[in-house]
């Protein structure tokens, strides 16, 4: 039975897509079969995994709007066991087109339910907003990973996201759980980073992953080569952090 995990935070620039790409690649390297669903019109998760979105015939947009089978849109990546349901800038328009749909909050759930058992984990990279596509992602998901950047405004906006999760739990997806908070862009030399870590830990306790994702230049460079950091520089801190995070996630779900 596969598990669907959404990576969400409506605050941009928190390392959400970076976490989605690299956690997915690390899980795949640990012999799990993984699908990344790129639910962000910017399509950064698709390009970060080496998919040229100008060349693809079908994307998540066609699955949602034109009812194209997900199997006809899923593409393999360079990493064995790792597949992508790519995104496209057209996805911006999908929110408007979906307004006339019956059960418009559950369109993505219906798409993913058909293929859920084909994968060990399906990771949804949500867009940094709380629009209809993100609502669809949270309705389709079993749990949510919330990346939190180690910086001054880190906790700002989390309350909004938690409120959205609460509403979705009460109205659309009663089984939705928080998988955990993962701290990103952590720099142990900065007192502020340690304060943020302590504060998040104080607020959310055991819901915070032990693994933190440290600031790492290789992690920033890898997407421009269309590769997860695991392929770009397997020995880098960024690569090792994500392998550790993947192991922690697998352990948690045993």
């Amino acid at each position: 039975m596969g598990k669907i995990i959404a990576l969400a935070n409506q605050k941009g620039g928190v390392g959400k897509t970076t976490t989605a790409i690299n956690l997915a690649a690390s899980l795949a390297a640990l012999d799990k079969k993984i699908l990344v669903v790129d639910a962000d019109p910017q399509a950064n998760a698709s390009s970060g995994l080496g998919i040229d979105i100008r060349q693809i015939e079908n994307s998540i947009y066609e699955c949602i709007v034109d009812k194209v089978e997900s199997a006809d849109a899923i593409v393999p990546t360079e990493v064995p066991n790792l597949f992508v349901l790519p995104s496209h800038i057209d996805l911006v328009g999908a929110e408007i087109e979906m307004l006339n749909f019956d059960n418009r909050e559950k369109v993505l759930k219906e798409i993913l339910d058909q293929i859920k058992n084909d994968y060990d984990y399906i990771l949804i990279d949500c867009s940094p907003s709380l629009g209809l596509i993100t609502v669809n992602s949270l309705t389709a998901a079993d749990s949510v990973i919330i990346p939190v950047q180690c910086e001054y405004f880190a906790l700002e906006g989390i309350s909004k996201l938690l409120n959205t999760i609460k509403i979705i739990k009460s109205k659309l997806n009663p089984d939705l759980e928080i998988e955990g908070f993962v701290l990103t862009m952590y720099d142990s030399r900065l007192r502020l980073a340690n304060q943020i870590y302590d504060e998040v830990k104080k607020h959310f306790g055991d819901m915070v992953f032990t693994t933190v994702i440290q600031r790492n230049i290789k992690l920033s460079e890898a997407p421009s080569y269309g590769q997860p950091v695991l392929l770009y520089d397997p020995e880098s801190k960024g690569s090792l952090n994500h392998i550790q995070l993947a192991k922690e996630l697998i352990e948690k779900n045993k």
Side-chain angles (χ1 to χ4, degrees), residues 40-61:
D40 183 349
Q42 295 176 72
N44 291 338
S46 305
S47 58
L49 286 169
I51 310 301
D52 183 349
I53 54 170
R54 293 163 303 184
Q55 302 293 330
I56 55 171
E57 270 180 51
N58 294 313
S59 69
I60 189 171
Y61 172 82

Side-chain angles (χ1 to χ4, degrees), residues 59-218:
S59 69
I60 189 171
Y61 172 82
E62 281 76 19
C63 295
I64 290 171
V65 176
D66 302 329
K67 304 285 183 267
V68 164
E69 289 287 323
S70 51
D72 294 331
I74 291 170
V75 285
T77 69
E78 267 186 86
V79 181
N81 290 331
L82 178 56
F83 301 82
V84 186
L85 177 51
S87 185
H88 196 274
I89 192 68
D90 289 351
L91 194 59
V92 171
E95 299 214 342
I96 296 156
E97 296 181 58
M98 287 164 77
L99 291 175
N100 303 318
F101 287 14
D102 296 335
N103 270 346
R104 60 182 181 227
E105 296 88 359
K106 297 190 173 177
V107 180
L108 189 57
K109 179 176 171 54
E110 286 164 15
I111 292 167
L112 296 183
D113 275 352
Q114 297 164 14
I115 54 170
K116 188 173 180 177
N117 293 335
D118 299 342
Y119 299 92
D120 294 305
Y121 292 97
I122 295 177
L123 302 186
I124 308 175
D125 184 35
C126 300
S127 68
S129 75
L130 294 176
L132 188 53
I133 300 283
T134 300
V135 169
N136 260 267
S137 302
L138 295 173
T139 305
D142 298 306
S143 66
V144 194
I145 288 177
I146 302 171
V148 180
Q149 188 181 358
C150 287
E151 52 120 91
Y152 185 64
F153 293 114
L155 294 174
E156 212 179 70
I158 285 186
S159 57
K160 240 186 231 166
L161 177 62
L162 293 178
N163 200 35
T164 303
I165 290 170
K166 201 162 132 192
I167 293 165
I168 284 171
K169 246 176 110 74
S170 68
K171 300 215 180 344
L172 294 164
N173 183 2
D175 300 326
L176 184 63
E177 299 292 337
I178 292 176
E179 190 74 44
F181 295 82
V182 60
L183 285 140
T184 62
M185 305 181 196
Y186 178 80
D187 186 340
S188 56
R189 296 167 305 178
L190 300 179
R191 190 189 304 156
L192 179 65
N194 293 305
Q195 284 171 347
I196 300 285
Y197 181 82
D198 293 342
E199 205 172 325
V200 174
K201 200 81 177 131
K202 192 174 78 190
H203 275 280
F204 302 110
D206 289 346
M207 290 161 82
V208 183
F209 282 99
T210 309
T211 308
V212 295
I213 308 299
Q214 291 161 285
R215 270 198 187 280
N216 178 240
I217 194 79
K218 300 291 184 193

